[in-house]
Structures are given as structure tokens and as C-alpha cells.
Amino acid sequence: MLKVIYLHHSGFLVETEKYCLIFDYFTENGKYDFIDITKYASKKIVVFVSHFHHDHYDRAIFKWQSVLPQIQYVLSDDVIAPPFVKNVHKVHFDKSYTIEDIFVQTFHSNDEGVAFLTKVDGKNIYHAGDLNWWHWNGESDKFNKGIAGMYRKEIDKMKETVLDVAFVPVDPRLEENYILGLDYMMKTIQIKNVFPMHFWEKYSIFNTLQKDERSICYRNCVVCIHHTNETFVLTDEEAM
């Protein structure tokens, strides 16, 4: 079983049997501060930050270590932790790491930082950070083709991996191109449950996605989010 809590924007908390994983926590000046970290004291807590952008990185994460000193931090190497923070693991793109008994593989973001593939408690969990098919209307064909090519190259590295959970951007600012990154992933990799993210609280994107003819072959794998701090329990039957 996996428990997933949508925090805000691209922030998620994932509970496995032994672990609590927190990805790209962003409270927007405390407005979306939903985590009582002491609730997870019985588990190994690992906090991931994909890159330094303010909507993916909140320095509030480091306060948790004063309450639970065993917390581990996995930070893209463009993120600078305060000097008093312990258990910091800096990661670079296109590398593999073992932290506790978690296997972590990083991918090169075509924006900033890294994307993460974590293998923990028998589950494969992917968080894209800002790795996406960023096709912006108004940009040059050369720019958009370069972004697309880099995206496909990174995603293709997971072709042989079955993902239990994936967190993937569907940014409405891309207009009709919002689905390109998600669509390529879903048609390239076997993904049991995909959580769209990075949609700037525009929850109408889920209705758009369900009606988009491009999603017809994988709509049943898309988890629809309705509000911040929403909890999802994925059973082994669903995570298939």
C-alpha cells in the first residue's frame, strides 16, 4: 500500500511501509503548511528538493530536523542548505545513489536541477521536478525542438522500469501543449498511477485532461486532484 498526500503545486508526501518521502515542499509563505512532521516519527523520513526555484523549495524543511534529527535531505546540487543542517545528500543529474536503503536515480532537467526516480520498499516512485516537455507558443522552433529532444532522451532511460507512482507536470501556461510531457511518458513507460502537478491551482486542468482525446488510452491511470492536502490511498490492486 502507498499513501500519497498532495500538498501544493508540485509538493507531495508519500508513505510506504517504512518510509515517509517528501518531494518539493512549497508552502507559499506558510499558506500551505500542512505537515505535522512528528506524525511520521516512527518512519524514516527523506526530503527531496529537485531544484532551487521558489515553487519547489522552501527552507522551512530544515526546521524539521530540530524536532526529528534523523531526517535525511536529498538536494539537487544547486540547492544550498544552511550550515547547521545534517544528513544532507547533494545529488547531480545522471547519477545513482543509495541513501539508507533507498535507491535514487537522477535525471537531467531541461529547466533546472534534477528529476528523481526512487526505489523504496519495493515501489518505484518518480518525481519530475521541472523536467517536462516545455513547448512554449511564441518560442522558436529550434528552442522547442531542443527541449523536446532532451525530454525524450531523459524519459527513454526509464523504458524498462514500471513506475508505481509518477508525479508529472501539466502546466496550463503551455496552452494546448500542456499534455505533451505527460502524454509521452504514459505512452513510453508503464505507469500504474500518475499524479499531474505544477498546475498552479487551476484544478480545471483535470477536466480538460479527461476530455482530451490524446489521453484516451491512459485516463484510468490519472489520479484527479481536487484540493490541497488531499490524501490518496493506493492499494496493491490499484498500483498495478
Side-chain angles (χ1 to χ4, degrees), residues 40-172:
Y40 306 98
S42 64
K43 297 198 172 187
K44 297 179 180 180
I45 304 170
V46 184
V47 182
F48 295 83
V49 181
S50 66
H51 63 291
F52 70 91
H53 285 170
H54 80 280
D55 59 321
H56 292 258
Y57 168 46
D58 194 318
R59 290 171 65 90
I61 60 176
F62 301 121
K63 296 178 182 178
W64 296 334
Q65 198 167 71
S66 65
V67 181
L68 297 174
Q70 72 272 25
I71 288 179
Q72 308 275 331
Y73 295 94
V74 181
L75 310 179
S76 171
D77 57 12
D78 60 353
V79 176
I80 300 174
F84 63 84
V85 180
K86 308 300 182 185
N87 306 329
V88 172
H89 310 271
K90 287 294 193 78
V91 297
H92 194 65
F93 62 80
D94 203 23
K95 300 287 185 181
S96 297
Y97 305 86
T98 301
I99 298 164
E100 295 282 334
D101 51 0
I102 301 178
F103 174 80
V104 179
Q105 183 177 352
T106 59
F107 303 89
H108 193 182
S109 175
N110 50 9
D111 189 342
E112 296 286 352
V114 302
F116 296 108
L117 171 61
T118 64
K119 300 183 179 182
V120 54
D121 285 340
K123 305 297 184 183
N124 294 326
I125 301 163
Y126 171 78
H127 190 284
D130 266 353
L131 174 59
N132 191 28
W133 192 319
W134 299 107
H135 186 111
W136 297 99
N137 292 332
E139 285 286 357
S140 68
D141 287 344
K142 180 179 180 181
F143 174 86
N144 283 327
K145 286 179 180 178
I147 289 290
M150 184 174 175
Y151 183 76
R152 292 192 298 264
K153 177 184 176 182
E154 294 302 302
I155 298 306
D156 285 352
K157 295 174 182 177
M158 291 185 284
K159 277 186 174 180
E160 304 303 317
T161 303
V162 178
L163 298 179
D164 294 283
V165 178
F167 304 107
V168 181
V170 288
D171 197 315

